[in-house]
Amino acid sequence: MPTFFRDIYERRELLGILIGRNLKIRYKNSALGFFWTLLSPLFMIVIYSVFARIMKWNLGRDDFLQFLVVGIVVWQFLVMCLNDSLNAIAGNGNLIKKTAFPRHILPVSTVLANAVNFLLTFVVLLGFLLIMRSEFQSVWILPLVMASQCALCLGLSLAISASHVFFKDTEHAIGVGTLAWFFMSPVFYSIDFQMDILPAAWRSAVFLNPMSGVLSAYRYALMSEPIPGAEHVWVSFAMCWAVLLAGQALFRGSENKFADEL
Amino acid sequence: MKDKPAIAMEHVTKTFRLRPGGGRTLKALAMDWIRFGRAGRAFDALSDVCFEVRAGETLGIIGANGSGKSTLLSIAAGAMTPTSGTVATRGTISSLLELGAGFHPDLTGRENVFLYGAIMGLSRKIMRRRFDAIVDFAGIENYIDQPVRHYSSGMYVRLGFAVAVEVDPDILLIDEALSVGDADFQGKCMKKMAEFKERGKTMLMVSHDLATIQSISDRIMLLDNGTVLGTGDAEGMVNRYRVLSAQQGAGELAREWGTGEIKIEDVAFLDEDGQKTSAFRWGRTLTAEIRYRAAERVENPVFGFSVSDRGGRLIYGNNTQLERFAVPEVAGEGRLRLTLNPVCLATGAYLFSFSVHSADHKTNYHRLDHGFPVVVEAEKTAAGPCYMPCQWSQPES
C-alpha cells in the first residue's frame, strides 16, 4: 500500500495529464461541453422530483427537494466512477502493451477526474442549498467524507478496471449491481427507512453499506439531518477504506497479466 | 559502464493461453472450473530466450510473423512480464509505438506529445523545451493543434518517431514502424538513428525491412517460433533468415518425383573456398555438387538444374545436354559439379531444382523441384530477379 501511494506521488505529472485527458475527452465534440456535468444531475433531480410529487413521496418533509438533490449528486459521483472504470485499463491497450508505468495511475486518474467533476457540481450544490436556506453544521467533516468516498470509488474502480480486462461480463454486472445498490442505499429515502426494515438488534448493520454512512454524513453536514445510531457510522467509513485495500490487492495481483490479455 | 549490458534477458519464456472464441467470460471460467483446469491451449510465444545488448549497441531482431518479436519488445519495455526467466535493463527506455499507438485520437498532437512524455517519466518542463524540436522533426507544425484522428498514417508515424527519439532515452525500442513514412522521412529517421548510435545509445529494433535493419544493426538476432536461432553479424543473419524463410516457403512448392533408375542423393552448395553455404554474393562463384546413385547402368542421362524465385516462377534453367557436356553413362555412385560463375542473381532468396532424365526427355529418373533454397546478396539493386553488369556513358558528340 505505501508503494501504491508513492507511485502516484512520483508520477503526479502523468496523473495530472491523464486527469486532464479524461475531462477533455468526456466533453469533446459535445456542444454543451462541461455543462453536462451540471445538466445530468439536474435532469435526474427533475425526473425524481416530478415522480416523487406524483407518487406523493416526500417522506413527510418540506425540504425533500434538498434531501433528494444531495443524495443524487453524491450518488452520481459513484456511478460515473464505476462506469468510467470499465475502460480505464481495457481502453488503453496500446499503452499497457508497449510501455511500463504504474498501471494503477489509470484508474486513479479516472476517479480523480470524476472527483474534479464532483467538486464543481458540489459548488453549485452549495449555492443551491444556500438559496434554499439550508442549515449547515460541522462542515469540517466534509473533506473527510469526500476522501472516504474517493477511497471507496477508487477501490471499486481498481477492481472493476482489472476485472474488465479479463471478463467482459463485468460491464453487465456493473449495470445490474449499481441499480441494486441504488435501491439499497438511502438516496431517495432516509436511513431510518432502512433501519426500520431490520430487527432492532441489527439496525446498525445498515452502515455495512458504505454509502449509507456517506450519504447520511453529507446530509448531516449540509442539512443538519441527524444520523440515527450515529455511534456506528464509523463502520461505513471503515468499509470505504477496506474496499480500497481490497481493490488495491486485487489490482496488484492481476496487473502483470494485463498486457497478455489486451 | 560499457561492460554492463543495457538489456540482458536470461532464459525468458512467455506462455500465452489461446482461448477459443477470444475473450474470456464468466461462462468460460465456470467451464474451466468444471473441467478442473484452464481451458485453452498453452503456447510459448518465447521459449528460453537469452541475449544481451551492450550499451551503445544496436541489435536487430528478425523473424517471420508470429515468431515472438513484438512480445520480446514488450518484455524489454517492461510492459509484459515473462512467465519465467529474468530481464535486466539499464537506463531509461522509450518505445517507438507502431503507428503512433498510444496516441489518443481525440487529443491534439500537442496534448499527445505531453502525454507520451509524461508516460516516459519526463517532466513538463523538459518536454516544453523539446517540444519545438519534436514538431520540427515531425514536420507537422500546421497540424499540431488538431486532434490526431485527423492525421494521415504518415503524420502519425512521424510524430510517434519524433517523440520517441526526442525524449532522449538510453534505450530506444523500435517496432516495425518506419515502413510507413515516405522516402524523405525514412531518410531523416535513418540519420536520426545514426546520430543516436553515435551518441552511444542503445537500440533494439524489429523490422521486416531486411535491407534497413541490416544496414543499421551491429548484430542481428533471428527468432523462429519463439526460439533464438542465432545471433550474429547482420549480413550473416539476414542471409540465414532468407534461407530459412525460403525453406519454409519451399516446403509447399518442393516436390520429388521420378522413376528412380538414377537418384540424386544430395546436393551441396559450395563457395569459392569449397565451404558449404547457402548464401552467395553477386559476381562470385557458386558450385553445386550433386551426389547420385544409379542402381543399374544408365546410358546418356541428362542432368539439369533450374533457378526460380520464391513463388516458384522460373528464372533460369539449363542442363548437360544444352551445354553439350556429355555424360555417356552412370553406374553406382558418382558426383557431378555445376559451377555458376559469376552469380548474376539480384539480392533475394531463390529455389534451385535439380533433375536427371533421359536424353529424349521421355523418362524422368529423378526430379527435386524447388528443394534447395539459396540466398544472394548483390551490392546494387535493380529491377527484376537478376543483376546484369551494366555501364552507362555519354558518348562525346
Side-chain angles (χ1 to χ4, degrees):
Chain A
M1 202 69 194
T3 54
F4 180 84
F5 286 113
R6 204 186 53 223
D7 283 344
I8 295 174
Y9 178 74
E10 274 170 9
R11 304 307 292 272
R12 58 192 179 280
E13 277 203 67
L14 173 60
L15 182 62
I17 288 177
L18 287 172
I19 292 172
R21 182 186 84 160
N22 287 348
L23 289 172
K24 251 175 227 156
I25 290 163
R26 174 171 308 161
Y27 299 114
K28 243 172 198 166
N29 307 323
S30 69
L32 291 173
F34 193 70
F35 285 101
W36 276 115
T37 302
L38 304 178
L39 283 177
S40 51
L42 196 68
F43 282 130
M44 289 272 293
I45 288 158
V46 170
I47 292 165
Y48 277 98
S49 50
V50 166
F51 274 91
R53 182 150 300 192
I54 294 170
M55 310 276 286
K56 299 202 168 44
W57 174 271
N58 58 12
L59 306 173
R61 50 197 304 161
D62 305 330
D63 61 351
F64 182 70
L65 183 62
Q66 291 94 303
F67 181 89
L68 186 65
V69 168
V70 171
I72 285 176
V73 167
V74 169
W75 184 258
Q76 275 291 99
F77 174 31
L78 178 81
V79 172
M80 301 265 276
C81 280
L82 301 192
N83 287 339
D84 286 359
S85 299
L86 284 170
N87 285 315
I89 300 293
N92 287 298
N94 283 317
L95 285 183
I96 300 280
K97 270 195 292 195
K98 297 290 168 181
T99 54
F101 62 94
R103 299 336 191 182
H104 59 268
I105 296 277
L106 290 166
V108 168
S109 74
T110 303
V111 170
L112 290 184
N114 277 301
V116 169
N117 255 323
F118 173 65
L119 282 177
L120 291 166
T121 319
F122 198 75
V123 170
V124 180
L125 175 71
L126 285 180
F128 167 76
L129 291 174
L130 279 172
I131 294 167
M132 302 302 276
R133 295 175 190 283
S134 187
E135 274 175 55
F136 296 86
Q137 68 175 10
S138 319
V139 286
W140 58 268
I141 65 161
L142 283 176
L144 298 176
V145 177
M146 282 181 192
S148 301
Q149 196 188 354
C150 281
L152 171 69
C153 290
L154 182 54
L156 292 169
S157 175
L158 288 164
I160 291 167
S161 59
S163 159
H164 196 228
V165 172
F166 305 101
F167 308 110
K168 299 300 162 210
D169 315 67
T170 309
E171 193 173 350
H172 307 292
I174 292 303
V176 178
T178 44
L179 188 65
W181 197 6
F182 175 77
F183 284 107
M184 289 194 291
S185 303
V187 181
F188 65 95
Y189 54 81
S190 73
I191 197 162
D192 312 278
F193 198 82
Q194 280 182 309
M195 288 182 163
D196 292 345
I197 296 171
L198 294 169
W202 291 88
R203 285 164 64 99
S204 350
V206 296
F207 293 117
L208 285 174
N209 173 359
M211 283 310 279
S212 293
V214 167
L215 282 161
S216 21
Y218 275 110
R219 285 179 181 138
Y220 172 80
L222 297 172
M223 304 175 61
S224 300
E225 172 91 5
I227 307 175
E231 67 276 16
H232 295 298
V233 75
W234 62 269
V235 174
S236 279
F237 293 94
M239 283 299 285
C240 287
W241 295 92
V243 167
L244 176 58
L245 267 176
Q248 189 266 145
L250 200 118
F251 194 86
R252 272 284 137 97
S254 59
E255 65 181 341
N256 284 342
K257 298 195 194 91
F258 290 166
D260 304 359
E261 292 288 331
L262 294 170
Chain B
M1 187 66 191
K2 281 265 163 193
D3 314 323
K4 282 214 174 165
I7 306 171
M9 288 203 190
E10 276 172 42
H11 308 290
V12 166
T13 297
K14 181 74 193 173
T15 309
F16 287 111
R17 280 182 190 279
L18 297 178
R19 278 185 211 92
R24 201 193 315 190
T25 58
L26 283 177
K27 183 183 140 209
L29 188 75
M31 296 299 283
D32 291 355
W33 246 312
I34 293 164
R35 288 194 218 115
F36 298 102
R38 296 174 68 180
R41 196 160 54 84
F43 112 101
D44 290 341
L46 293 173
S47 46
D48 202 30
V49 170
C50 302
F51 72 94
E52 280 186 1
V53 189
R54 291 183 294 273
E57 189 186 28
T58 299
L59 180 73
I61 303 173
I62 55 176
N65 287 331
S67 56
K69 304 186 296 291
S70 294
T71 306
L72 192 78
L73 277 198
S74 288
I75 288 176
M80 227 177 235
T81 26
T83 311
S84 64
T86 58
V87 187
T89 54
R90 284 168 58 85
T92 55
I93 304 179
S94 165
S95 323
L96 175 48
L97 308 169
E98 41 202 323
L99 212 69
F103 286 167
H104 196 289
D106 279 330
L107 297 181
T108 67
R110 183 190 300 273
E111 289 162 347
N112 271 309
V113 166
F114 281 101
L115 174 60
Y116 190 84
I119 286 170
M120 290 297 140
L122 279 111
S123 74
R124 205 166 247 282
K125 222 165 81 194
I126 295 174
M127 281 311 284
R128 221 170 279 145
R129 231 178 294 143
R130 296 190 189 157
F131 185 75
D132 289 336
I134 292 171
V135 178
D136 190 50
F137 185 81
I140 53 165
E141 292 84 352
N142 298 331
Y143 303 95
I144 194 68
D145 286 314
Q146 293 280 319
V148 298
R149 68 159 73 251
H150 298 315
Y151 282 23
S152 68
S153 55
M155 284 156 74
Y156 244 96
V157 175
R158 283 190 335 242
L159 190 60
F161 185 83
V163 180
V165 174
E166 292 293 337
V167 298
D168 200 34
D170 300 322
I171 303 170
L172 181 62
L173 308 177
I174 305 175
D175 190 358
E176 195 70 61
L178 301 179
S179 44
V180 186
D182 56 23
D184 180 46
F185 184 72
Q186 280 186 14
K188 263 166 94 179
C189 291
M190 294 297 282
K191 236 174 87 186
K192 199 85 195 175
M193 286 195 277
E195 214 180 286
F196 202 76
K197 269 178 86 164
E198 265 169 38
R199 283 171 39 224
K201 305 277 186 164
T202 310
M203 279 192 276
L204 189 60
M205 180 177 184
V206 163
S207 182
H208 286 291
D209 179 355
L210 295 176
T212 306
I213 202 163
Q214 186 179 332
S215 71
I216 203 146
S217 303
D218 299 317
R219 287 187 303 148
I220 283 184
M221 181 162 86
L222 175 57
L223 279 182
D224 184 47
N225 280 325
T227 53
V228 179
L229 283 190
T231 311
D233 74 289
E235 189 190 319
M237 292 316 291
V238 166
N239 284 336
R240 219 173 127 185
Y241 174 55
R242 286 211 176 98
V243 172
L244 180 77
S245 56
Q247 251 160 7
Q248 284 166 349
E252 296 152 29
L253 290 169
R255 205 158 79 96
E256 183 179 353
W257 53 292
T259 50
E261 283 91 335
I262 309 174
K263 278 203 96 147
I264 297 172
E265 305 232 285
D266 178 46
V267 181
F269 288 87
L270 311 168
D271 64 12
E272 285 133 319
D273 306 324
Q275 296 294 316
K276 269 196 176 189
T277 178
S278 12
F280 295 89
R281 295 194 76 87
W282 178 89
R284 309 294 271 277
T285 310
L286 177 156
T287 303
E289 197 168 278
I290 302 164
R291 225 155 40 74
Y292 61 80
R293 174 198 288 276
E296 279 163 44
R297 205 173 70 95
V298 181
E299 281 180 16
N300 290 322
V302 177
F303 285 85
F305 81 100
S306 70
V307 187
S308 355
D309 67 12
R310 289 181 52 189
R313 277 178 295 270
L314 180 69
I315 292 168
Y316 178 77
N318 204 334
N319 63 30
T320 49
Q321 195 175 41
L322 295 167
E323 286 293 321
R324 312 231 160 94
F325 177 81
V327 185
E329 59 165 57
V330 292
E333 280 185 39
R335 289 191 296 179
L336 194 65
R337 235 171 214 217
L338 160 74
T339 304
L340 297 178
N341 185 19
V343 172
C344 286
L345 293 162
T347 299
Y350 301 93
L351 300 172
F352 272 70
S353 309
F354 290 91
S355 64
V356 52
H357 54 76
S358 61
D360 57 6
H361 292 244
K362 281 197 176 126
T363 317
N364 286 297
Y365 301 128
H366 194 194
R367 298 193 80 111
L368 290 163
D369 295 341
H370 309 304
F372 304 89
V374 158
V375 298
V376 176
E377 179 87 11
E379 260 130 62
K380 296 186 228 169
T381 49
C386 64
Y387 181 86
M388 300 187 201
C390 77
Q391 271 142 20
W392 294 86
S393 60
Q394 223 162 22
E396 287 158 47
S397 50

